Each structure stands twice: as C-alpha cells, then as structure tokens.
C-alpha cells in the first residue's frame, strides 16, 4: 500500500468527470468508475492506494453517497478495487492484467495492440552481431569478480570519445556507466537532492523523471514550454531560476520529451550562467541527442558552457539503439563520478559486464546505426504527420527536427477520455496529463513515431474514428470547477 488519497485530492484528480464523453451516455456511477479506472490507467492514481470513504468522496464531489457506493461496487466487480469491512478500499488491477513499462495497465494477451505509449524503437539488426562479438570478449573478464561500479574502461572510453567529438573534451574518469538513463537520474538525485528539495522542471516533461522526483519527495516548480516551435521562453526560464533558486533543474535540451523542441546555443549559455549565479545544479538529459532529423545541426552540449561543475549530463542507449539494452551513463567531474559510485554501492553495485561489452561494439558502429535510425524515423514521422493532417486536421502539431515524438494539441480537453476509448480499438496512448502535474495538459497528446509507418497510419485511423464517436456522444454536462484554497 502506498498511502491514502483524501476526498478533496481525488475530486481534483477526477476533474470534470461528468463531462468525459463516451460512445453513449452512461449513468453517473458508471462515469465515475470509468474515470477512476482512467486515473489508474495513466498512472495518476497509484496502485495500492486507499481511496476516501464513500461519504467523504460524495461530499467532495457534491453528489449523492448512493452514486459513490455504486461506483465503488462497479470498480470491485471489474477488479480495480479491493475492500475490507472496517478497513477501507484499495486500488488494484484485474487478475488478467499487468502494469506495462509505461505505467499503463495492459491485458496480458495484447499482442495486437498498437502501442503509442512507448517512445522507443525495436532493436537494430546490428545488435545480434554486437552480442556475438561481446560474448567472444567476455572470457577476459571472467577471472575477476565482475563488479565495476563506474563501468568497464572500454565503454567509459567510448562514451568519453563521443562527448569529445561533440566539442566537449571528456576523459573516462568523468564517465559512470549506469543501468539505463533512468538509473542515471536516480543516482544523481540520491547524491544531489535531499528529500523535500526544490527542483525546476519543464512542463510538459518526461513522466518517469517526475516519478523519480516524487520518490525523493521533491518540491517541483515548472517552467511552461510554448506549444509552437520556440519551446522555452528565455526570460521566463531565467526568471524561474533566479526567483525559485532551486537546488536542481532537470532539462531536456535536445528534442525535448515530449515536445521535440531543441534549445538554442545562446539560451544554453545563459541557463548555465544563471544556474551558477543562484547555486543550482543542472541535470541535462541527452537521451535524444543522436536523433537529429532533416540535417539539423546541433548546438554545443550544455556542459560546454560549464566552468564550475554545475552541469551533470545523463544519456544512454535506449533511444538510438534499443531499450532492452539497459546501458546509460553520467558525465560529470571526476570527483562527482567517484561520489556517485559510492552512492551506487547501496543500490545495485554495477551494470552487467556482458551488456556493457555489447554497448562497446554498438558504439563502434554508431555512425552506420544512427544514420539508419535517422532515415527510418524521418520516414515514420512524415507518415504520422500525413495521417494526422488527413484524418485529424483540427489537431495542431509542430514538426520536430529530431527525437521520436510529436506533441499534438487536440481540438478539446479530451486527452484522457480519448486514451481510455482507444484502448477498446487496440491503440494505447499516453495522455497529456502524464507529462505534467495536477491533471493539467488535457488538451495535449504525445504521439511517438517509433512504429512502422503502416502501423502509424492504421493507429491514426482508429484514433480518428474514436474521436468522431466522442463528438457524437450528445450534449455534455459541464460542472463548475472546484475551488481549492
């Protein structure tokens, strides 16, 4: 059990639950239960959390207790709620479902599902060759214990050379290999952020970064990104740094997830200067740095402008190579790397040697692999853009110059409702609120272009049909928004 949610808190998450459209008008208790399931599906309501008592929720929603009682009964019947007399009710998942890597619940037999909740590519064909070569290299490591807290030297040197090639001189002592980029972020937060510390993030941002910050009980301040191609508002971002003086700022300057924005060089330099002035350390997530499209020229790495060890860069193999290869890294000063290694001992000791050897061979063939990925992604992006323009012309999308995602502004605040409805037709979506705080961003949807072009076109067709059905649901009854002081 992860805790308890109060009535006013759940009411805020539920939002305009009466107004969520569907294929046909449902009784209030069904609409309420459906919205709770939606909160579970997109990760805003955790599993194992205790829901408020029926009377408390009824008072918070200003509805009859009978409606809440019926909704709770419906949730128990569908396997989303477990109750015990005198102890309360807890959220759960049906027995034939699991939690996917996105945090979304998914049926176990969902092989035909078109999953647009995961922004990652299938493995490149070169992976098998790299794995065979890595197995041949493995014997020279078998005589030791196999623990390398900062990573094997070959991989650290390869990553350091890649940074140097980008104009940022780096030595192997400045690299720590981790079990993926998310692991890298977690270790940096353990080292640099005390529980309850203040952190500045973009809005929208990567959901798993928000989850990691929640795990540290961070106080999060957001900087809103523009929906057009500009992305960051320089004066507002710098003002946020100066006014809130956060301990850390987490930024994704290369093809920001989920918007696809690319931070210009001038702003990178100003952000580093402002962070130094107010004592803020910058965590720079470079997950998509290799995936520039259309010949886009990248600005220098943010750490180029760092003179005071304020910038910690994190990256990994998941996006340009394969998510199943759990290899990431941290680039920082050599003393910071040693402190991270000391923190790591209490977490997982070291990354698998065999995986690291596979990564070494993939990086040796990086030019060819990444070039193929860019061609593939550009074609898939254009197929997705064409399908959206044809089937959903009222949606606004800024064409990204890299990365793997589109950030679509919808024609109404229906992101969560649409995500729930498309599950029924075999399309999984990650609705906008997963990328922000407090249930905002309902007018937005992240659409990755990592599936084959034909699948993307088919998915858009199904989404458009569902969106059309939502419009035919009849008059919607909107509630006045609750005021929470």
């Amino acid at each position: 059990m992860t805790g308890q949610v109060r009535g006013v808190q759940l009411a805020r998450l539920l939002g305009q639950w009466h107004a969520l459209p569907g294929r046909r008008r449902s009784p209030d208790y069904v609409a309420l239960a459906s919205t709770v399931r939606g909160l579970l599906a997109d990760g805003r309501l955790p599993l194992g959390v205790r829901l408020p008592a029926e009377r408390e929720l009824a008072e918070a929603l200003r509805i009859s207790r009978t409606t809440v009682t019926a909704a709770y009964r419906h949730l128990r019947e569908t396997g989303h709620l477990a109750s015990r007399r005198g102890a309360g009710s807890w959220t759960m998942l049906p027995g034939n479902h699991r939690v996917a890597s996105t945090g979304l619940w998914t049926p176990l037999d969902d092989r035909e599902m078109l999953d647009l909740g995961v922004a990652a590519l299938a493995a490149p064909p070169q992976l098998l060759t790299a794995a065979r070569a890595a197995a041949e290299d493995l014997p020279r490591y078998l005589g030791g214990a196999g623990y390398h807290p900062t990573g094997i030297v070959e991989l650290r040197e390869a990553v350091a050379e890649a940074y140097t090639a980008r104009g940022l001189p780096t030595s192997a002592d400045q690299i720590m290999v981790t079990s993926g980029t998310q692991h890298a972020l977690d270790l940096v937060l353990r080292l640099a952020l005390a529980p309850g510390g203040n952190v500045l993030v973009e809005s929208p941002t990567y959901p798993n970064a928000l989850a990691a910050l929640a795990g540290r009980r961070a106080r999060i301040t957001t900087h809103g990104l523009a929906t057009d191609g500009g992305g960051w508002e320089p004066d507002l971002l710098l003002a946020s740094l100066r006014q809130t003086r956060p301990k850390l700022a987490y930024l994704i300057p290369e093809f920001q997830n989920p918007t696809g924005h690319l931070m210009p060089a001038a702003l990178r330099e100003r952000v580093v200067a402002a962070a130094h002035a107010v004592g803020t350390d910058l965590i720079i997530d470079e997950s998509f740095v290799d995936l520039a499209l259309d010949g886009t020229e990248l600005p220098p790495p943010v750490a180029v402008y760092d003179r005071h060890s304020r910038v910690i860069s994190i990256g990994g193999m998941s996006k340009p190579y394969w998510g199943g290869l759990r290899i990431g890294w941290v680039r920082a000063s050599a003393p910071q790397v040693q402190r991270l290694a000391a923190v790591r001992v209490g977490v997982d000791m070291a990354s698998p040697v065999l995986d690291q050897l596979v990564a070494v061979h993939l990086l040796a063939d990086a030019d060819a692999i990444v070039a193929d990925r860019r061609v593939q992604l550009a074609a898939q992006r254009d197929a997705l853009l064409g399908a959206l323009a044809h089937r959903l012309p009222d949606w606004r999308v800024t064409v990204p110059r890299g990365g793997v995602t589109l950030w679509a502004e919808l024609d109404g605040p229906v992101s969560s409702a649409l995500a729930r409805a498309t599950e029924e037709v075999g399309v999984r979506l990650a609705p906008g609120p997963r990328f922000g705080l407090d249930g905002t961003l309902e007018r937005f949807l992240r659409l990755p272009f990592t599936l084959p072009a034909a699948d993307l076109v088919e998915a858009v067709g199904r989404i458009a049909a569902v969106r059309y059905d939502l419009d035919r649901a009849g008059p919607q009854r909107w509630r006045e928004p609750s005021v929470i002081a």
Side-chain angles (χ1 to χ4, degrees):
M1 182 169 51
T2 59
Q4 179 175 4
V5 60
R6 307 303 305 176
V8 292
Q9 295 170 328
L10 183 54
R12 184 178 182 184
L13 287 173
L14 289 167
Q16 296 172 328
W17 61 273
H18 278 108
L20 293 178
R23 294 179 180 272
R24 59 185 180 274
R25 178 56 56 193
S26 302
D28 281 351
Y29 80 90
V30 174
L32 179 56
S34 176
T35 309
V36 172
R37 286 197 300 270
L39 294 175
L40 284 168
D42 66 26
R44 283 180 282 155
L45 187 62
L47 297 177
V49 72
R50 185 169 138 183
L51 295 187
E54 295 169 0
R55 184 184 301 278
E56 180 185 352
L57 182 57
E59 292 175 352
L61 294 175
R62 298 180 182 177
I63 60 176
S64 72
R65 182 177 176 181
T66 302
T67 299
V68 177
T69 300
Y72 277 20
R73 182 176 64 250
H74 190 63
L75 289 168
R76 285 192 292 271
E77 291 171 352
T78 60
H80 294 86
L81 202 64
S83 301
R84 190 168 68 248
R85 184 179 296 276
S89 300
W90 292 268
T91 56
M92 58 180 289
L93 291 180
N96 64 338
H97 289 76
R98 62 179 171 83
V99 178
S101 59
T102 57
L104 306 175
W105 64 268
T106 172
L108 290 175
D109 56 351
D110 66 342
R111 294 180 181 178
E112 300 303 318
M113 181 72 71
L114 296 175
D115 194 347
L116 296 182
V118 177
L121 293 159
Q126 295 91 336
L127 183 63
L128 283 177
T129 302
R132 294 189 184 102
E136 294 177 358
D137 291 341
L138 185 60
R140 54 194 169 90
Y141 281 92
L142 298 181
Y147 297 119
H148 303 270
T150 59
I152 63 173
V153 66
E154 292 100 319
L155 182 53
R156 288 188 288 122
E157 288 176 345
V159 174
E161 289 172 4
Y163 274 107
T164 301
R166 292 172 55 203
L168 180 62
T170 302
S171 68
D173 291 338
Q174 293 177 268
I175 300 297
M176 177 179 185
V177 178
T178 63
S179 300
T181 310
Q182 184 71 12
H183 181 223
L185 174 60
D186 180 74
L187 289 175
V188 172
L189 293 179
R190 288 172 183 265
L191 175 68
L193 186 68
N198 189 15
V199 179
L200 176 68
V201 303
E202 300 144 336
S203 179
T205 192
Y206 180 47
N208 290 340
L210 293 175
L213 291 170
R216 297 297 295 168
R217 301 195 300 277
R219 293 182 293 112
I220 300 175
T221 302
T222 59
H223 165 68
L225 296 181
T227 57
D228 59 19
W232 300 265
E233 297 288 348
D235 291 339
L236 291 178
L237 175 56
L238 298 176
S240 295
L241 282 169
R242 296 183 185 115
Q243 292 167 10
T244 62
R245 306 177 73 88
K247 172 59 179 171
L248 295 175
Y250 169 78
L251 304 174
I252 312 174
E254 283 90 20
F255 313 118
Q256 200 263 354
N257 185 6
T259 65
H261 294 316
L262 178 63
M263 183 182 287
L267 181 55
R268 296 172 184 232
E269 185 174 12
R270 294 176 68 189
V271 165
V272 172
H276 172 62
V278 299
T280 297
D281 290 331
L282 299 176
I283 303 176
I284 302 300
D285 189 335
E286 299 181 317
S287 295
F288 302 93
V289 71
D290 292 320
L291 299 179
L293 305 179
D294 307 326
T296 298
E297 185 175 348
L298 288 179
V302 173
V304 162
Y305 305 104
D306 182 29
R307 300 292 182 271
H308 307 279
S309 298
R310 286 289 183 191
V311 176
I312 300 176
S313 304
I314 60 176
M317 308 286 287
S318 295
K319 302 306 179 183
Y321 298 92
W322 188 45
L325 185 65
R326 302 309 303 149
I327 293 294
W329 50 75
V330 179
R331 185 213 178 266
S333 68
Q336 286 173 317
V337 166
Q338 292 304 311
R339 290 196 292 272
L340 283 168
V343 169
R344 182 177 193 166
V345 170
V347 180
D348 74 338
M349 302 293 288
S351 297
V353 171
L354 184 58
D355 288 21
Q356 293 183 70
L357 290 170
V358 173
V360 170
H361 286 280
L362 287 173
L363 290 175
D365 198 18
D367 289 345
I369 295 174
V370 171
D372 290 344
R373 293 303 217 187
R374 289 171 176 168
V375 172
Q376 174 188 356
L377 286 169
Q380 292 171 185
R381 178 202 60 187
D382 294 344
L384 178 57
L385 287 168
L388 289 171
H390 176 60
R391 299 299 304 271
L392 292 161
D394 292 333
W395 289 15
R396 294 177 53 194
V397 180
T398 299
V399 180
R401 293 181 289 166
V404 300
T405 61
L406 302 178
W407 185 240
E409 183 177 357
L410 312 185
D411 52 350
V414 296
S415 182
S416 293
L418 188 63
R420 291 195 293 275
T422 55
E423 285 271 347
E424 299 178 9
V425 296
V427 178
R428 179 167 300 118
L429 299 174
R434 282 188 59 80
F435 301 87
L437 301 174
D438 301 325
T440 58
L441 303 174
E442 276 288 3
R443 290 187 65 92
F444 296 90
L445 185 69
R446 189 188 74 172
L447 295 170
F449 41 92
T450 48
L451 294 180
D455 288 346
L456 293 172
V457 173
E458 173 65 21
V460 171
R462 297 183 193 180
I463 294 169
V466 169
R467 182 68 187 98
Y468 175 69
D469 285 345
L470 294 183
D471 281 338
R472 299 176 63 195
Q476 300 176 4
R477 293 175 291 147
W478 296 90
R479 291 193 308 143
E480 289 293 325
S482 301
V483 177
I484 300 177

